[in-house]
Amino acid sequence: GDYVLRLDLETEQWKRSIKAPKMRSTMPRMVELNGTLCMVHLEGRRTKNACTIIWLLSDLAKGTWAKAYVIPMPHAVDLVIPLRMMRHDGKLMCYCLHNDRPSPTLQVYDPLNGICTQLPDLPGNNLSDVGFCDLHLECYIRST
């Protein structure tokens, strides 16, 4: 099986590795989703049963992963990167790359009805890379 290697940046020491979830994909991606490590992979690429599966690391000490989302994907989607999970309803905002269009899209997946909704394109279609900033600006702004 596959493992996730862990390096403690403060001590510069390697920690015990974590066993990755069982995936049928050869190219999983590791990303952070709302402060939690997750593994993302596409199964059945370019087939009618294609889906993106998102696993969340639920217990670091035990190395336990929870399958959080199974998102049906259209034939034209090559890659889905989760960006943010909405806390109030579990919807998931994703960055999607397509094989039939030059620019990526932002989509919101609703796990209650299983539907992905594409958000409007940005002016000029400048969505080459996107991410979220979790800075707490109050730490940097001094009141006068």
Side-chain angles (χ1 to χ4, degrees):
D2 294 326
Y3 288 84
V4 176
L5 300 177
R6 297 173 46 210
L7 175 66
D8 184 321
L9 294 176
E10 288 184 19
T11 64
E12 297 182 0
Q13 298 289 317
W14 288 101
K15 300 292 185 179
R16 184 180 59 84
S17 58
I18 304 166
K19 188 163 178 54
K22 292 187 184 222
M23 298 175 283
R24 289 185 239 157
S25 173
T26 57
M27 296 179 53
R29 295 181 81 75
M30 191 169 31
V31 298
E32 177 266 335
L33 181 60
N34 291 44
T36 301
L37 180 66
C38 72
M39 298 287 279
V40 180
H41 65 103
L42 184 64
E43 282 191 7
R45 185 172 180 226
R46 296 189 181 178
T47 68
K48 66 178 183 172
N49 298 322
C51 64
T52 293
I53 300 177
I54 300 172
W55 296 84
L56 298 177
L57 182 62
S58 57
D59 187 329
L60 176 63
K62 295 179 182 175
T64 306
W65 297 86
K67 188 187 282 189
Y69 293 93
V70 178
I71 306 171
M73 289 288 108
H75 175 75
V77 174
D78 274 339
L79 176 66
V80 174
I81 300 172
L83 298 174
R84 181 69 62 210
M85 182 173 42
M86 314 310 180
R87 296 206 188 276
H88 61 281
D89 59 7
K91 290 181 181 176
L92 188 68
M93 182 181 288
C94 300
Y95 176 80
C96 302
L97 295 175
H98 305 264
N99 58 39
D100 64 347
R101 62 181 286 170
S103 59
T105 61
L106 284 178
Q107 297 191 14
V108 174
Y109 173 69
D110 185 342
L112 297 177
N113 61 22
I115 295 175
C116 277
T117 305
Q118 183 173 323
L119 298 177
D121 288 339
L122 293 173
N125 244 350
N126 293 325
L127 190 62
S128 61
D129 200 8
V130 68
F132 277 91
C133 177
D134 285 334
L135 287 177
H136 297 280
L137 294 178
E138 64 273 8
C139 297
Y140 301 98
I141 298 174
R142 188 177 65 183
S143 60
T144 56

